[in-house]
Amino acid sequence: MLLNWTVMILYNYFSAMFVGPGYVPLGWTPEKSQDCMYLQYCKVCQSYKAPRSHHCRKCNRCVMKMDHHCPWINNCCGYQNHASFTLFLLLAPLGCIHASFIFVMTMYTQLYNRISFGWSSVKIDMSAAKRDPRPIIPFGLSAFAASLFALGLALGTTIAVGMLFIIQMKVILTNKTSIESWIEEKAKDRIQYYQTGETFIFPYDTGSKWKNFKQVFTWSGIPEGDGLDWPVRDGCHQYTLTIEQLKQKADKRVRSVRYRAIDDYSGVCCPVTKGVKTFFTTPCTEEPRIALSKGDLILATRGLKHWMYGEKILDSAADGGIRERGWFPRKCVEKCQYDSETDQPVDGEKKNR
């Protein structure tokens, strides 16, 4: 049974790794040209981003139904390999639980055969078992230490990977991805901030957990659909989510604050010369850092106490310029006289938008 766990775990692991998530075809455009206004355009892939797709900086492609980029499989989790990845997250804890049971029972039986109880002390003899028959495989102190270490790894994997499985199942049963859950949260914040009176309805949740489950897990192993067109619930259409993404993108540009670099920054993860607090509070994320030179302009969209995230303007054109995104130390920049990408916007105008 332990070998069966191993085979199934490795099969799903390598399937998630080598099958991949599926990518939006290069140069893809919707069938109706007027639908392009509802979609974002990817300059890298030279195509429009299909509904539920996102561009991955690590894969350098637009991924269909992207959930996240997983460094453990060196690939994205998305449309084609979501089922294999989730099964791997399920089978790995189950196999580790089985292994933990073997380790615990092995150590228990071996210690039981080596413990002698005296009137005032308990002695453990790890040299050999005191009962016959003698074990075929010797179990000494080194074997006990190795078993204890392996038990810790198995329990740690069970907890860590098991939590990831629970998170994945939550989004699958609502027919979402981790990115789409974040988009839905931002939609609620945007509506509340601007008080528009809108009601955002996630378009791909069928309302049935079983139907949502079947869109990912099928007997053939091939998920439903083609990764470009998706069934939607009543009252929504194919571009309900992409329209919300465009609104959030415009809102981010309004809320962005312009900063000017006052100190050089090489782009290292943990800069030593920028202060002790900056060094020890570096963001724990795979998002990149951007190098800064004095005079660079940056549009900051979010930040921490000692770090900020934003886009460095590389071209003079504010709207069509190429930008480089990433984290940078807060002490390397200063706020410009106007606080957003537009000159001196009024708070009331932001609120209306």
Side-chain angles (χ1 to χ4, degrees):
M1 184 177 290
L2 194 63
L3 291 176
N4 288 335
W5 289 125
T6 304
V7 171
M8 290 189 293
I9 290 170
L10 293 178
Y11 173 78
N12 285 281
Y13 176 77
F14 287 113
S15 294
M17 179 186 297
F18 293 113
V19 171
Y23 303 107
V24 178
L26 296 175
W28 179 84
T29 57
E31 295 181 359
K32 299 179 181 179
S33 58
Q34 61 269 26
D35 292 341
C36 294
M37 62 182 296
Y38 304 125
L39 300 172
Q40 300 183 63
Y41 185 77
C42 179
K43 296 180 180 179
V44 178
C45 299
Q46 295 294 310
S47 63
Y48 285 92
K49 295 181 182 179
R52 311 192 78 175
S53 67
H54 302 274
H55 185 83
C56 176
R57 290 193 297 266
K58 300 293 181 63
C59 300
N60 204 31
R61 287 291 300 273
C62 286
V63 178
M64 294 189 294
K65 197 187 176 185
M66 178 178 175
D67 186 89
H68 68 286
H69 184 91
C70 179
W72 306 111
I73 64 174
N74 194 31
N75 212 333
C76 278
C77 174
Y79 163 68
Q80 292 183 353
N81 63 352
H82 203 174
S84 298
F85 181 77
T86 308
L87 287 174
F88 163 72
L89 297 182
L90 170 64
L91 295 171
L94 292 179
C96 287
I97 291 173
H98 186 187
S100 300
F101 178 78
I102 295 175
F103 290 135
V104 169
M105 295 307 299
T106 299
M107 289 188 292
Y108 171 78
T109 54
Q110 293 298 321
L111 288 176
Y112 182 80
N113 292 337
R114 289 168 167 82
I115 296 178
S116 61
F117 295 92
W119 289 103
S120 59
S121 63
V122 177
K123 297 181 180 179
I124 302 177
D125 183 8
M126 295 299 294
S127 60
K130 293 184 177 180
R131 297 187 178 185
D132 292 329
R134 294 176 64 85
I136 298 175
I137 301 176
F139 190 87
L141 185 61
S142 59
F144 174 78
S147 299
L148 191 62
F149 178 73
L151 175 62
L153 291 180
L155 293 178
T157 302
T158 300
I159 296 173
V161 181
M163 292 298 295
L164 292 177
F165 170 74
I166 293 174
I167 293 173
Q168 284 297 312
M169 285 306 302
K170 284 183 178 180
V171 296
I172 288 175
L173 294 179
T174 55
N175 204 3
K176 300 175 185 175
T177 63
S178 300
I179 296 178
E180 290 169 351
S181 298
W182 175 236
I183 293 174
E184 187 178 26
E185 290 297 322
K186 290 194 294 183
K188 296 177 181 178
D189 293 339
R190 182 187 64 82
I191 293 172
Q192 183 179 7
Y193 180 80
Y194 293 109
Q195 299 178 0
T196 58
E198 302 174 59
T199 301
F200 177 75
I201 301 176
F202 186 76
Y204 305 114
D205 186 359
T206 62
S208 170
K209 292 183 179 180
W210 175 242
K211 291 181 179 179
N212 295 336
F213 180 85
K214 289 195 298 182
Q215 283 200 8
V216 177
F217 297 96
T218 58
W219 289 111
S220 63
I222 302 175
E224 292 185 355
D226 58 359
L228 300 174
D229 296 320
W230 301 90
V232 296
R233 62 190 301 171
D234 296 337
C236 302
H237 56 84
Q238 279 291 327
Y239 304 110
T240 297
L241 186 65
T242 59
I243 292 174
E244 175 59 33
Q245 289 178 260
L246 291 174
K247 291 180 180 179
Q248 293 181 12
K249 187 176 182 179
D251 178 46
K252 186 174 74 171
R253 294 179 68 86
V254 171
R255 295 196 192 188
S256 62
V257 180
R258 181 171 294 195
Y259 285 81
R260 184 182 302 275
I262 58 175
D263 193 8
D264 295 337
Y265 168 57
S266 61
V268 296
C269 182
C270 300
V272 179
T273 59
K274 304 304 178 185
V276 177
K277 294 181 179 179
T278 301
F279 178 84
F280 285 105
T281 59
T282 182
C284 298
T285 175
E286 292 184 354
E287 293 175 316
R289 275 66 171 169
I290 55 174
L292 299 178
S293 300
K294 290 183 179 180
D296 287 343
L297 293 177
I298 308 100
L299 293 176
T301 56
R302 51 193 167 99
L304 303 173
K305 186 175 182 180
H306 301 286
W307 288 82
M308 300 187 73
Y309 183 90
E311 301 175 346
K312 183 170 66 173
I313 304 176
L314 301 178
D315 190 3
S316 57
D319 293 329
I322 301 174
R323 294 187 176 96
E324 182 181 347
R325 296 182 296 177
W327 290 93
F328 54 90
R330 186 182 287 268
K331 66 182 307 180
C332 293
V333 297
E334 67 176 2
K335 188 176 180 181
C336 294
Q337 294 181 355
Y338 40 89
D339 65 351
S340 73
E341 193 174 6
T342 57
D343 289 345
Q344 294 180 346
V346 182
D347 292 339
E349 293 178 355
K350 285 188 179 181
K351 198 73 174 180
N352 293 335
R353 291 191 62 178

